């Protein structure tokens, strides 16, 4: 996939074979590019950015990009992930375990009904008893780590597992990871076929392994590495 930004010369080629990095020393352009990409992420499509497929045909911009600005909250507990996880769990529970869970859940419902019958007002339970409702009741969440790289691996695992086909865009991630950690992240994303785009507000020099780079300097001159 290519990201065509009208006010820069080079298309950003984002694929699962290597990681596209953009380092922008001009603060005005850095803000403008991040703002436009973030608008796409939030469903507001700017005129200046177009997504192109491998045949240079224009693609629908919606639901193709995820932009990450806050690395202390990667959104692993979003409703979309929660719903996908619930479906995944329900699908992978054995029939034997489903029967056990439903029987135990029925026991809880019956006890609760008995309690309600002792109340002074007429009360009832409207609850469909199936494995999906039990899974939602459990409120399963992703167990995160204290280490950023580990949490990024979890994010990539989720994107791969649920086949979202998103481009993950990380803003100023290089401020948080060492070069060695970045190379681990690149290898992991390539192995799992999850495309990454890193955009930073300063230049870090030569490329790392599995990295292709576009540098936009203060004068808006562009250099491909």
């Amino acid at each position: 996939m290519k990201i065509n930004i009208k006010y820069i010369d080079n298309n950003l080629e984002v694929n699962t074979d290597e990681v596209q990095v953009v380092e922008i020393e001009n603060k005005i352009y850095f803000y403008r590019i991040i703002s436009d990409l973030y608008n796409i992420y939030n469903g507001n499509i700017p005129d200046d950015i177009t997504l192109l497929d491998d045949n240079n045909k224009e693609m629908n911009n919606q639901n193709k990009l995820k932009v990450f600005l806050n690395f202390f909250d990667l959104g692993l507990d979003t409703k979309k992930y929660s719903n996908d996880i619930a479906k995944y769990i329900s699908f992978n529970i054995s029939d034997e375990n489903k029967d056990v869970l439903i029987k135990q859940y029925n026991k809880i419902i019956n006890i609760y009904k008995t309690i309600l019958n002792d109340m002074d007002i007429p009360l009832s339970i409207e609850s469909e008893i199936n494995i999906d409702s039990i899974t939602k009741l459990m409120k399963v969440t992703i167990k995160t780590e204290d280490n950023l790289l580990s949490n990024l691996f979890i994010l990539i695992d989720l994107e791969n597992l649920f086949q979202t086909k998103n481009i993950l865009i990380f803003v100023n991630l290089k401020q948080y990871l060492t070069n060695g950690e970045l190379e681990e992240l690149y290898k992991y994303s390539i192995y799992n076929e999850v495309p990454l785009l890193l955009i930073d507000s300063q230049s870090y020099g030569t490329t790392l392994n599995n990295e292709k780079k576009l540098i936009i300097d203060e004068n808006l001159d562009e250099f491909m590495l």
Side-chain angles (χ1 to χ4, degrees):
M1 182 188 300
K2 298 176 184 177
I3 302 176
N4 175 265
I5 302 175
K6 290 182 180 178
Y7 45 88
I8 68 174
D9 295 333
N10 290 276
N11 286 337
L12 307 182
E13 297 188 12
V14 185
N15 55 56
T16 56
D17 298 324
E18 55 189 346
V19 174
Q20 174 72 70
V21 171
V22 186
E23 297 175 350
I24 308 168
E25 296 178 326
N26 185 290
K27 304 304 180 186
I28 294 174
Y29 261 51
F30 172 77
Y31 178 83
R32 185 178 179 184
I33 289 173
I34 298 303
S35 178
D36 281 344
L37 291 171
Y38 198 67
N39 278 330
I40 293 176
Y41 174 47
N42 286 299
N44 304 313
I45 309 302
D47 295 330
D48 289 332
I49 294 186
T50 305
L51 301 187
L52 306 173
D53 64 16
D54 293 336
N55 297 315
N56 289 320
K57 292 183 179 179
E58 187 171 340
M59 301 170 60
N60 186 338
N61 288 359
Q62 289 187 322
N63 301 318
K64 295 291 192 304
L65 309 178
K66 281 187 176 179
V67 180
F68 296 89
L69 303 166
N70 179 6
F71 298 109
F72 301 95
D73 179 9
L74 294 173
L76 300 178
D77 57 352
T78 61
K79 184 177 180 181
K80 178 66 172 65
Y81 278 141
S82 296
N83 289 339
D84 285 339
I85 290 167
K87 291 176 185 175
Y88 174 79
I89 293 171
S90 296
F91 181 78
N92 285 279
I93 295 176
S94 68
D95 290 339
E96 180 182 355
N97 282 330
K98 284 179 182 178
D99 290 339
V100 171
L101 287 169
I102 289 173
K103 286 177 183 177
Q104 294 300 320
Y105 188 58
N106 266 318
K107 289 180 181 179
I108 295 172
I109 293 294
N110 289 331
I111 293 170
Y112 204 75
K113 284 179 178 179
T114 302
I115 294 171
L116 293 182
N117 287 335
D118 293 333
M119 300 291 171
D120 293 333
I121 53 177
L123 300 171
S124 65
I125 297 175
E126 294 182 6
S127 177
E128 183 181 355
I129 301 174
N130 55 45
I131 200 63
D132 291 332
S133 60
I134 296 173
T135 300
K136 288 179 181 177
L137 181 67
M138 294 296 103
K139 295 183 179 179
V140 179
T141 58
I142 296 292
K143 195 162 120 184
T144 57
E145 306 288 341
D146 292 330
N147 178 276
L148 174 57
L149 183 60
S150 297
N151 289 333
L152 291 172
F153 286 165
I154 294 171
L155 175 64
I156 289 172
D157 286 338
L158 292 174
E159 293 288 318
N160 173 263
L161 179 64
F162 301 132
Q163 291 293 296
T164 61
K165 306 298 183 184
N166 289 310
I167 295 173
L168 304 185
I169 301 175
F170 298 130
V171 179
N172 280 333
L173 178 61
K174 290 192 173 187
Q175 292 183 4
Y176 296 89
L177 298 180
T178 66
N179 286 347
E181 289 173 325
L182 286 166
E183 290 186 344
E184 284 187 60
L185 178 67
Y186 295 168
K187 286 191 292 185
Y188 200 74
S189 69
I190 291 168
Y191 176 78
N192 286 282
E193 299 184 336
V194 175
L196 304 185
L197 168 61
L198 271 64
I199 304 179
D200 286 88
S201 57
Q202 66 185 85
S203 175
Y204 288 87
T206 58
T207 58
L208 302 175
N209 291 327
N210 296 311
E211 183 180 84
K212 59 181 177 181
K213 182 181 293 190
L214 170 65
I215 298 175
I216 303 175
D217 72 10
E218 185 64 42
N219 299 315
L220 302 181
D221 292 323
E222 299 181 21
F223 306 91
M224 293 291 296
L225 302 181

